[in-house]
Amino acid sequence: MSKEKDKSDNAVIDLEHARVRLRSRAKATPESLNQDLEGVRGLLDQGLTIEARTRLNSLLSEARNQPELLAEARRSLSIALEMQGNYRESLEAVAMYEAPEARTKLNPTLGTLLRVQIALANNYNGDHPKAISLLKATLRGLPEEGVEVGAVYAALARVYRSISEYPIARDYSHRALECYRQTGDWRGLAEAYFGLATADMGEGQHEASLENFGQALKLVGDHSATFLLGKIYSNMAGNCWFLKRPQEGIRFLEKAIGYYERTDHKNNAADGYNNLGMNLVLVGQWDRAQEALEHALSIATRTEAPGAQVPMILDSLGELLMLRGDFEEARAYLDRAVTLSAKNGNRWYEGQAQRTLGRCYVAMKQGAEALTTAKKAQELAEEIGDRQAICESHLLLAEACLECGDTEGCGANLDRLAQLITDSPADLLLAGEAQRLHGLLTMAGGDASTAAQHFGRSVSIFDLLGDRYRSARAHFELGRAYAIAQPERAAEHLTRAVNIFRELGAHLNLSRAEEAAAALDQTTPQQLRKRETVVQLLTLRLAEAVASRELLLRELAAVVRQETSAGRVVIIEPYEGGRQRVVIAHGCSRKESEAWAEDYANLKKDSRREAFARKHNVAVVNLSPSNAPPATLLISPRDNAELSGGLSLEPLLRVVELGMDVCALRVRTRSGPGAEEESALAGASLMPGFIHSSPAMTRLVEEVHKIRSSDVTVLVTGESGTGKELVARAIHALSSRRDKIFVPFNCTAVPRELSEGYLFGYRRGAFTGAVKDSAGVIRTALGGTLFLDEIGDLPLDVQPKLLRFLQEGEIQPLGEQRPIKVDVRIIAATNTDLEEMVAQGRFREDLYYRLNVIRLRVPPLRERRSEIPTIVNYYVNHYAAKFGRRDIQIEPQAIDLLMVAEWPGNVRQLCNEMQRVIARAEDGTLITPEHLSPELRHMSSPTTPPGTVTSIGAGGASMTVPIRDVTLADALAEVERRMIAEALRKHNGNISRAARELGLTRRGLYLKLERHAMSASA
């Protein structure tokens, strides 16, 4: 039987293998192999990596005697393996080209692209420092622009995104974009916009991210880039999730799935179906959600290595079945998810499945099992240190305790949760669940009135999030509370809960809501609340709703509707074009509320508002915060614009106005450093003595500012005297460690044999002369920053210990038996060529890569001569004040002499020169060239010979620029002015077209116009 079966199987023709055999029989030519390579690139664009690898295996055999074709084939194979997630094999495919001698027979462009791929492969294998170092080393050997430079910039952006350094990643994506614009490379342009969008997404700028992803889509156009399109659409859906726009996210996911299913990456399609199911659950389309999740499970179980996907999908399916009331089936799915996650060693998914299983036990009224599961989930969450998971575990523990009758335990977990969550939009779901549980806890204590406030807030939050199930559940709980406190309001909320549960198919919740509605007439109301209690509860409720402006206004509308006799409540706010936008409407249709908004927008005078109010029988209440856009509250009927018991709305309105200011301030803060901050940064010192006005130093300051929120290791390079320690102090002053100590340590300041003791410390008696314990400079800098100057002179035998500290965060002092954990940030500096020292074996390569995560070069003074007058004036004033000198001035001719000096000692030498001059000066001295050091007075020499610059122009036009008696900078500036003027004249002042011709961005051209005092009509 087996032989017959084998024969039958062999009778089936594999067309792909047949094509490979046919190609191998024909004699391959370089032209045919290049065509095959181009075909492989097309397959990779389409995500057909299996066929691409098959073709590449043939190419590798046929191109073994053609070095360039072989190298290109290996690079393509590395990309294919990377796309499949085989990162180790991806690195092995190109690792042999890391040595420079292996690339000697290759053209420079191919050599650059290979180095880029080697760096990316290292990045995906977790060696981010080496990836950055390789890419920056590659960059140093390239011109300032071109496709190869664009590829390096794009790769640097990917690496920095991998370590969540999004500002730096965005900067490199912008640079890549400028390079690719010069050639019109659609792949490069699309990848650059993809990088910008991903960086925006990582920083929470989701609207900007959607715009950049949209631009990437347009650049791809009708090119066959199926895999990239799938990635773009799935990421756009992710943005919509954070923007609470699930319907839009569903459309994007459907497109992403369509593209992924045409590729070999079925695991991406499974992820897409799972995310689609989660969005459909959110909007209440549970039948479609179950279909999507079951399809995701079917795909994931067919893949060769499902990994974390199957537990993730089982968890989603279990949650949906739990919501529907199918508890036994839900528990079976969730038990499988827990078991598989534990088997795969994925602690995060195991914890997630445990939390969902715990909620299932709560819904089944099995409190003991829920509590046991919740404790396991919390242990896992604490173990992996995931804040979101820890918060969700406390929510589950609180509800499980309440189910077991342990109100004290419930309250303790809610108190702990309150310390963890913030009032940011990202924590809204947690806040809504916390409010619901606070309401249940208060109800258990017999205070239905206070419980109603908690449930009311949870209604506002879940309505804002568009979560239909949680919204219905909150309405149900609010209806139950009102049935006791204010029965006349209960029916509305219970009816809404019944309707939504019926639409969703949540059978168990539906029966409970129907029972509560039927029992309304039998409920005895509680006694009326005190007026002071009402105001306090409502004030607290509004004060806690400042996570976003929309939530705050929704809460205000809900409070007015719930606590007054108003039938209709509408809040509107100014919109573009002089219109008014409806924020929230209660008690009226969308059409009616929009009609009110339109009528209100058409009011030309304030005196017409009274007529508007009479016409619609509304009270018009203006909300006018100090630093936020206004809004208008409309209450109908107008006579009911007061709280029950005749209490005024005025105190609550003041709270809301203050809250609107808080929301506006938070938005401005979250959007990052604005134009004002950047402007101040460009012209001000980061700290005394740190002067910057030249483009080179401004770029350095911008780089320092970008890493202010990170804690990565920084390597500062530059010649002696350039101010490397000032840069290190600036980094520390801007970082989160600024309130801690900054410890400078010069590696050449102590004898080589004592370096280890000075750095790591020692115990008494560890060596001869160690008469007492020494902490060492690393422990001295605990919690702060340690600046290691002249790191290149660190002894070789000490370098492995420093490397271990950088990798593990622990040191072992001399004489100590166990290592000690130390939290210190390292900034290193050197004026030597570390790469050359590594090549000579005088500096460890692994330590070099670990230090070189972010590299900042401080330019020498001769490269930023334009700053010399500013620095001179600063030190004249500084030392005049220090030495008690008055009315000290410096002659322009003296400054000219200082400008042309070579300054081998850089800023330190200039500082010492000015200190010497001012120390010898008297009050009222005018400093002339004669006051300067003799060596400086004789260093002046012409910087440019007489002559002209010709044949430089735009659009073929040539221009002659006289440069006699001018500096090189002045000549280049004149060329720039003329080219800009010619481009603007040619395009009739159109900024976009002129910028495109000049190879600039619109913003870049505007900056140059401002610098040269030119106008667009120039």
Side-chain angles (χ1 to χ4, degrees):
M1 276 297 288
S2 61
K3 291 182 178 179
E4 291 178 8
K5 185 178 184 300
D6 290 342
K7 184 177 180 180
S8 174
D9 287 344
N10 291 333
V12 178
I13 298 174
D14 187 327
L15 293 178
E16 181 52 40
H17 287 148
R19 283 196 293 268
V20 172
R21 286 196 300 271
L22 284 172
R23 283 197 298 270
S24 63
R25 288 172 188 165
K27 184 170 179 60
T29 64
E31 292 77 13
S32 67
L33 293 176
N34 274 313
Q35 289 177 0
D36 284 349
L37 271 175
E38 190 60 37
V40 166
R41 294 188 193 101
L43 291 171
L44 294 177
D45 284 339
Q46 297 172 61
L48 301 175
T49 48
I50 296 175
E51 185 177 351
R53 285 184 62 182
T54 303
R55 293 195 186 183
L56 284 167
N57 288 333
S58 175
L59 274 168
L60 290 171
S61 174
E62 295 170 349
R64 57 184 177 273
N65 295 322
Q66 302 182 48
E68 290 201 350
L69 284 170
L70 181 63
E72 185 58 59
R74 283 195 164 276
R75 189 177 78 92
S76 297
L77 178 61
S78 178
I79 294 171
L81 290 164
E82 174 193 306
M83 291 171 66
Q84 292 178 328
N86 300 323
Y87 299 128
R88 183 179 298 176
E89 293 88 339
S90 173
L91 179 58
E92 290 172 354
V94 288
M96 67 286 298
Y97 293 105
E98 184 171 350
E101 54 271 17
R103 302 189 301 271
T104 53
K105 296 182 179 180
L106 308 179
N107 70 69
T109 299
L110 178 56
T112 298
L113 296 178
L114 278 168
R115 295 180 77 185
V116 167
Q117 186 56 34
I118 292 168
L120 287 173
N122 275 287
N123 175 62
Y124 290 117
N125 276 281
D127 197 345
H128 312 301
K130 183 173 183 180
I132 293 170
S133 183
L134 288 172
L135 290 168
K136 290 191 174 181
T138 304
L139 204 56
R140 286 194 289 273
L142 295 175
E144 293 186 0
E145 54 190 35
V147 176
E148 299 97 323
V149 183
V152 178
Y153 284 147
L156 278 166
R158 288 170 69 178
V159 176
Y160 278 110
R161 290 199 301 272
S162 297
I163 57 176
S164 302
E165 292 290 346
Y166 298 113
I168 302 175
R170 182 186 292 106
D171 181 59
Y172 279 120
S173 289
H174 274 298
R175 296 187 196 183
L177 192 60
E178 293 301 319
C179 292
Y180 286 126
R181 278 175 175 157
Q182 299 169 15
T183 61
D185 183 343
W186 69 267
R187 284 189 186 90
L189 288 168
E191 183 180 355
Y193 273 105
F194 184 91
L196 289 172
T198 310
D200 289 336
M201 189 175 180
E203 290 196 309
Q205 300 178 30
H206 300 294
E207 291 287 3
S209 178
L210 281 174
E211 289 181 13
N212 282 316
F213 278 130
Q215 181 64 17
L217 287 175
K218 294 175 185 175
L219 289 164
V220 173
D222 58 357
H223 292 287
S224 183
T226 314
F227 185 68
L228 177 59
L229 288 169
K231 289 200 300 180
I232 292 172
Y233 278 118
S234 61
N235 279 284
M236 292 177 82
N239 279 308
C240 292
W241 177 270
F242 288 107
L243 290 168
K244 287 85 180 179
R245 287 161 24 191
Q247 295 288 0
E248 194 175 346
I250 288 169
R251 290 194 295 272
F252 288 141
L253 282 168
E254 287 171 342
K255 291 181 180 179
I257 290 167
Y259 285 114
Y260 280 139
E261 288 194 317
R262 291 157 52 189
T263 72
D264 293 333
H265 299 266
K266 305 306 180 189
N267 55 335
N268 293 69
D271 286 339
Y273 275 115
N274 183 63
N275 293 332
L276 177 61
M278 293 168 63
N279 277 272
L280 290 168
V281 168
L282 191 68
V283 300
Q285 298 182 34
W286 287 4
D287 289 335
R288 284 189 63 200
Q290 185 156 352
E291 182 182 345
L293 292 171
E294 288 174 348
H295 197 54
L297 186 61
S298 173
I299 295 173
T301 51
R302 291 199 304 268
T303 59
E304 292 181 4
Q309 283 186 309
V310 171
M312 174 180 67
I313 299 165
L314 289 171
D315 176 70
S316 300
L317 269 169
E319 183 168 17
L320 175 56
L321 291 166
M322 174 189 69
L323 297 178
R324 287 190 155 182
D326 301 331
F327 296 130
E328 291 303 327
E329 191 175 357
R331 188 170 63 176
Y333 275 118
L334 293 169
D335 281 334
R336 282 181 61 198
V338 170
T339 303
L340 279 174
S341 298
K343 181 180 177 181
N344 295 335
N346 192 317
R347 309 293 278 171
W348 190 92
Y349 278 116
E350 184 182 354
Q352 171 65 32
Q354 290 276 19
R355 290 192 295 278
T356 311
L357 181 59
R359 291 196 296 272
C360 185
Y361 282 129
V362 168
M364 297 168 70
K365 303 295 183 183
Q366 297 181 14
E369 290 83 353
L371 193 58
T372 302
T373 307
K375 289 177 179 177
K376 291 179 182 177
Q378 187 190 28
E379 289 174 4
L380 286 167
E382 296 283 357
E383 180 183 323
I384 62 177
D386 187 313
R387 188 187 72 89
Q388 180 81 11
I390 293 170
C391 291
E392 290 179 7
S393 299
H394 280 295
L395 279 173
L396 177 57
L397 277 167
E399 193 160 12
C401 286
L402 195 59
E403 184 65 34
C404 293
D406 181 8
T407 55
E408 187 176 336
C410 176
N413 277 286
L414 289 175
D415 289 342
R416 175 64 180 138
L417 178 67
Q419 297 171 10
L420 294 173
I421 63 174
T422 66
D423 56 1
S424 70
D427 282 350
L428 272 179
L429 185 64
L430 294 170
E433 283 294 316
Q435 288 298 322
R436 182 181 69 85
L437 290 176
H438 273 296
L440 291 173
L441 181 61
T442 310
M443 282 280 284
D447 187 355
S449 298
T450 304
Q453 299 302 322
H454 290 298
F455 292 136
R457 188 178 176 201
S458 68
V459 166
S460 297
I461 292 174
F462 294 134
D463 281 347
L464 174 64
L465 294 176
D467 191 324
R468 298 196 69 208
Y469 174 78
R470 286 187 169 92
S471 176
R473 187 173 57 176
H475 276 291
F476 166 64
E477 301 292 1
L478 181 58
R480 284 202 314 124
Y482 274 147
I484 299 172
Q486 296 173 275
E488 69 278 5
R489 296 186 178 278
E492 175 189 350
H493 296 284
L494 290 174
T495 301
R496 286 194 65 179
V498 166
N499 291 337
I500 297 175
F501 285 142
R502 184 178 290 119
E503 291 174 20
L504 295 176
H507 310 299
L508 184 60
N509 295 99
L510 175 61
S511 64
R512 291 172 180 170
E514 288 175 337
E515 289 173 9
L520 269 181
D521 296 335
Q522 304 169 17
T523 306
T524 302
Q526 286 183 348
Q527 292 183 344
L528 293 176
R529 300 164 292 172
K530 293 181 179 180
R531 295 184 178 187
E532 295 82 359
T533 305
V534 172
V535 175
Q536 289 174 2
L537 287 172
L538 297 179
T539 301
L540 180 62
R541 178 173 169 182
L542 291 169
E544 291 179 344
V546 292
S548 72
R549 175 186 171 94
E550 185 173 357
L551 176 61
L552 179 62
L553 296 178
R554 281 176 173 269
E555 276 284 69
L556 174 61
V559 164
V560 172
R561 181 75 193 286
Q562 293 162 15
E563 300 298 329
T564 71
S565 301
R568 291 174 291 182
V569 179
V570 177
I571 297 181
I572 58 179
E573 63 182 5
Y575 195 53
E576 58 187 23
R579 295 176 291 167
Q580 291 282 330
R581 182 182 78 92
V582 177
V583 179
I584 182 66
H586 285 305
C588 59
S589 66
R590 183 175 184 83
K591 183 177 180 181
E592 184 178 8
S593 63
E594 288 178 348
W596 284 10
E598 185 177 353
D599 283 356
Y600 189 82
N602 291 332
L603 298 178
K604 303 300 181 184
K605 299 179 180 178
D606 290 346
S607 58
R608 299 295 301 164
R609 288 182 181 172
E610 180 58 30
F612 168 84
R614 287 196 303 270
K615 174 184 176 182
H616 296 287
N617 189 22
V618 297
V620 180
V621 181
N622 292 316
L623 299 170
S624 304
S626 303
N627 297 298
T632 304
L633 171 64
L634 306 175
I635 306 172
S636 177
R638 61 190 302 189
D639 294 334
N640 292 346
E642 60 181 19
L643 298 172
S644 57
L647 294 174
S648 172
L649 283 171
E650 198 64 26
L652 301 183
L653 299 178
R654 300 292 76 80
V655 171
V656 171
E657 288 175 339
L658 288 172
M660 292 166 73
D661 282 332
V662 170
C663 293
L665 176 62
R666 182 178 290 112
V667 168
R668 287 194 294 270
T669 303
R670 201 161 46 229
S671 63
E676 296 177 3
E677 184 182 345
E678 290 184 5
S679 176
L681 176 67
S685 299
L686 285 176
M687 56 190 310
F690 195 85
I691 311 295
H692 62 90
S693 59
S694 67
M697 286 300 288
T698 299
R699 283 194 297 271
L700 174 63
V701 171
E702 289 172 351
E703 290 292 329
V704 169
H705 208 261
K706 285 175 188 173
I707 61 174
R708 67 190 184 280
S709 60
S710 67
D711 224 1
V712 293
T713 304
V714 180
L715 178 64
V716 184
T717 64
E719 296 177 7
S720 179
T722 51
K724 297 186 290 295
E725 183 172 339
L726 279 175
V727 172
R729 289 184 180 274
I731 295 170
H732 173 75
L734 287 171
S735 73
S736 60
R737 298 174 181 261
R738 56 184 170 273
D739 295 327
K740 303 293 183 179
I741 191 170
F742 176 91
V743 179
F745 176 75
N746 192 307
C747 297
T748 62
V750 297
R752 300 176 68 87
E753 60 272 17
L754 298 181
S755 294
E756 181 178 354
Y758 270 85
L759 271 174
F760 303 101
Y762 52 83
R763 294 289 301 273
R764 186 178 66 175
F767 54 86
T768 303
V771 295
K772 61 179 181 178
D773 291 351
S774 172
V777 294
I778 292 180
R779 279 189 287 177
T780 302
L782 182 66
T785 302
L786 174 61
F787 174 59
L788 296 177
D789 200 6
E790 307 301 346
I791 190 69
D793 293 315
L794 190 68
L796 264 175
D797 57 338
V798 179
Q799 291 179 21
K801 296 169 182 161
L802 179 61
L803 175 64
R804 177 171 178 79
F805 168 64
L806 291 173
Q807 289 176 332
E808 307 297 336
E810 60 184 25
I811 62 172
Q812 188 161 357
L814 293 171
E816 193 71 60
Q817 299 301 314
R818 295 182 179 179
I820 301 170
K821 285 284 185 181
V822 185
D823 175 27
V824 173
R825 182 190 191 171
I826 296 294
I827 300 176
T830 182
N831 61 5
T832 58
D833 187 347
L834 287 185
E835 289 87 351
E836 181 63 23
M837 292 184 69
V838 169
Q840 295 174 1
R842 294 189 294 122
F843 197 87
R844 288 181 64 97
E845 184 178 19
D846 46 4
L847 177 59
Y848 168 71
Y849 287 139
R850 185 60 60 179
L851 290 170
N852 197 34
V853 177
I854 290 180
R855 184 172 186 147
L856 301 177
R857 175 181 177 268
V858 186
L861 192 56
R862 62 182 175 275
E863 293 181 12
R864 47 188 175 107
R865 295 182 186 277
S866 61
E867 293 179 349
I868 290 177
T870 307
I871 297 173
V872 167
N873 286 326
Y874 171 83
Y875 282 122
V876 166
N877 295 328
H878 174 74
Y879 287 116
K882 181 177 180 179
F883 298 139
R885 306 293 191 267
R886 291 178 296 175
D887 301 323
I888 303 294
Q889 303 292 326
I890 184 165
E891 202 174 57
Q893 290 83 351
I895 293 182
D896 291 342
L897 193 56
L898 296 172
M899 287 282 288
V900 299
E902 285 302 313
W903 301 114
N906 292 290
V907 178
R908 183 184 294 127
Q909 183 184 359
L910 177 58
C911 170
N912 291 339
E913 177 69 16
M914 299 317 301
Q915 183 179 13
R916 188 193 64 79
V917 170
I918 302 302
R920 299 174 63 182
E922 297 178 352
D923 291 351
T925 298
L926 176 66
I927 300 171
T928 66
E930 284 68 35
H931 288 90
L932 303 179
S933 301
E935 61 269 25
L936 288 176
R937 294 200 296 268
H938 300 290
M939 284 174 63
S940 177
S941 60
T943 55
T944 52
T948 60
V949 177
T950 60
S951 301
I952 300 178
S958 65
M959 59 184 72
T960 301
V961 181
I963 59 170
R964 183 182 299 275
D965 299 325
V966 297
T967 65
L968 177 61
D970 290 336
L972 292 174
E974 180 61 21
V975 171
E976 193 167 76
R977 276 193 291 271
R978 294 194 187 187
M979 290 181 68
I980 292 171
E982 175 63 20
L984 289 169
R985 183 198 61 75
K986 178 179 176 181
H987 295 291
N988 298 316
N990 187 300
I991 290 290
S992 297
R993 293 176 183 172
R996 192 178 304 117
E997 178 169 310
L998 293 167
L1000 300 170
T1001 61
R1002 282 173 55 87
R1003 183 172 182 273
L1005 181 52
Y1006 274 122
L1007 289 173
K1008 288 186 180 294
L1009 289 171
E1010 182 180 352
R1011 184 187 307 153
H1012 295 306
M1014 299 171 66
S1015 66
S1017 58

